[in-house]
Amino acid sequence: MSQKKMAAPCARMASWPLLRYFSRFERTPIANSVFRPFSNSSLRRSNLRNKLAPETPRSPWTLMAAVCLQRPPVISADLSLVEQRFARLMQQMELEKSILSEHELRLLEDAERLRRKQADEDDDDDDDERKEQDIVLTQDLEDEWERKFKTFRPAPRTTDDADKDLSSSGRLLSDSLVLLAEQQVGSDKLWLLPQAQWRPGETLRHTAQRALASLGEPTIKANFLGQAPCGVYKYKLPKAARSDTSLGAKIFFFKAILTPDTPTNAEPNTALMWLSKRELQRFLKPAYMMKVERFILGP
């Protein structure tokens, strides 16, 4: 009798549809943690959500990168009147407080030996000959220095030909120069820092390096400073040229220093200019110049 009672529930359970069997576990805590409801309607809802999900809007700003390439000063700048007076004062103070050098002490010793010889205070002939030779050697050394000093010609601090050629990096040796390139912006040609439009898959620094390489000057070698931009400039297109997908451009600037072994241009390049900071104002627009002058080294 007990076997019949046990078999009855099993028979009824086997006759239940499979879906109805699993639905009994949905109301238990274990089922809620193990089983996940799944149906065709859930698939349709997920597909509908994917279709209705808004796409990431494309930025109306064109991203660009530019390089601020500087040539540091080659020689020291000329001293002002105040600096010259201060330099003379420091030299005078150093002379008054300094001690005699080894060469000056040797000259005094030689002069004393010569005085003794003239006064016949030393009877040793061999010692006299040696001391006389020492005096002659010391004097010969000074004469050699004087001869070299008279023949020395310092290099010129100014190069007239290079100063007139704005495309030469060998001009204005005591100033810090910045490279400008003639860029096509719309229908106009403007003097700007070398720039290029960003391409997908590259970093902004790579874009700045590509902008420098696109100048067609293989002799220009530069060391970029850091991976992050040092400034940004944003401008809008004219109202007639604006659209919903093209509003303007954002330019990110990167700093670079010209390597010392870079040779000067053999021939003038009318599309490039090396200008000092005070000369940039003649070629750059005020808004652009205000952004650029913040990270330009030197006066």
Side-chain angles (χ1 to χ4, degrees):
M1 184 64 182
S2 60
Q3 294 179 353
K4 293 181 179 179
K5 291 182 179 180
M6 293 177 60
C10 292
R12 289 193 300 270
M13 185 179 298
S15 62
W16 289 345
L18 185 61
L19 184 59
R20 184 180 177 186
Y21 171 74
F22 282 106
S23 64
R24 298 194 62 176
F25 290 92
E26 293 180 359
R27 292 185 291 273
T28 63
I30 297 178
N32 293 335
S33 62
V34 176
F35 295 97
R36 181 180 177 182
F38 186 79
S39 63
N40 293 333
S41 60
S42 62
L43 276 177
R44 289 192 297 269
R45 286 195 298 269
S46 63
N47 293 336
L48 184 60
R49 282 196 300 268
N50 293 336
K51 293 181 180 179
L52 297 179
E55 298 181 358
T56 303
R58 183 177 177 275
S59 175
W61 296 94
T62 301
L63 298 182
M64 306 188 73
V67 54
C68 179
L69 180 60
Q70 283 194 252
R71 191 221 64 188
V74 180
I75 59 176
S76 59
D78 294 330
L79 299 179
S80 63
L81 294 178
V82 176
E83 292 173 338
Q84 293 177 9
R85 294 173 55 187
F86 182 76
R88 289 194 296 266
L89 176 62
M90 295 300 295
Q91 291 176 357
Q92 183 66 25
M93 293 176 61
E94 182 179 1
L95 179 62
E96 294 174 357
K97 297 181 180 181
S98 63
I99 61 177
L100 297 178
S101 64
E102 294 181 0
H103 179 72
E104 292 172 330
L105 293 175
R106 185 179 175 184
L107 286 176
L108 293 177
E109 292 175 359
D110 292 344
E112 180 65 20
R113 289 170 187 160
L114 182 61
R115 187 187 64 80
R116 289 184 198 175
K117 181 181 179 181
Q118 293 175 351
D120 296 330
E121 295 179 1
D122 194 350
D123 296 334
D124 191 353
D125 296 338
D126 296 336
D127 191 29
D128 288 343
E129 292 178 0
R130 183 183 61 81
K131 291 178 180 179
E132 183 179 358
Q133 183 180 9
D134 290 341
I135 295 176
V136 172
L137 291 177
T138 305
Q139 188 63 39
D140 288 344
L141 185 60
E142 285 194 350
D143 293 342
E144 180 67 16
W145 291 346
E146 185 70 18
R147 184 184 65 81
K148 289 183 178 180
F149 177 74
K150 290 181 178 180
T151 59
F152 174 75
R153 294 294 181 269
R157 294 180 57 87
T158 59
T159 51
D160 296 335
D161 295 338
D163 290 346
K164 297 176 182 178
D165 182 13
L166 298 181
S167 64
S168 174
S169 60
R171 62 186 301 266
L172 301 179
L173 300 179
S174 61
D175 292 341
S176 178
L177 302 182
V178 180
L179 178 64
L180 291 187
E182 194 175 30
Q183 304 277 318
Q184 186 73 34
V185 180
S187 59
D188 300 330
K189 285 188 176 182
L190 303 176
W191 287 102
L192 304 169
L193 299 180
Q195 63 184 24
Q197 186 173 347
W198 173 78
R199 295 175 182 174
E202 67 179 4
T203 63
L204 286 173
R205 170 169 166 163
H206 291 160
T207 305
Q209 292 174 337
R210 179 166 54 83
L212 186 60
S214 64
L215 298 179
E217 290 291 338
T219 58
I220 294 180
K221 300 178 181 179
N223 293 327
F224 278 75
L225 307 181
Q227 299 288 341
C230 58
V232 61
Y233 173 70
K234 180 175 66 174
Y235 69 90
K236 291 184 178 181
L237 296 174
K239 292 184 178 180
R242 295 180 195 172
S243 63
D244 295 338
T245 59
S246 180
L247 185 60
K250 294 182 181 179
I251 307 174
F252 296 87
F253 300 104
F254 287 80
K255 285 295 298 293
I257 301 297
L258 190 71
T259 56
D261 58 345
T262 301
T264 57
N265 299 339
E267 297 180 359
N269 189 345
T270 58
L272 299 177
M273 287 195 304
W274 288 94
L275 304 177
S276 63
K277 189 174 182 180
R278 59 180 177 271
E279 293 175 334
L280 291 176
Q281 300 178 359
R282 295 163 43 194
F283 298 92
L284 299 180
K285 293 185 176 182
Y288 191 90
M289 180 64 189
M290 184 178 63
K291 296 291 184 180
V292 170
E293 65 180 353
R294 298 177 180 176
F295 49 80
I296 293 180
L297 302 176

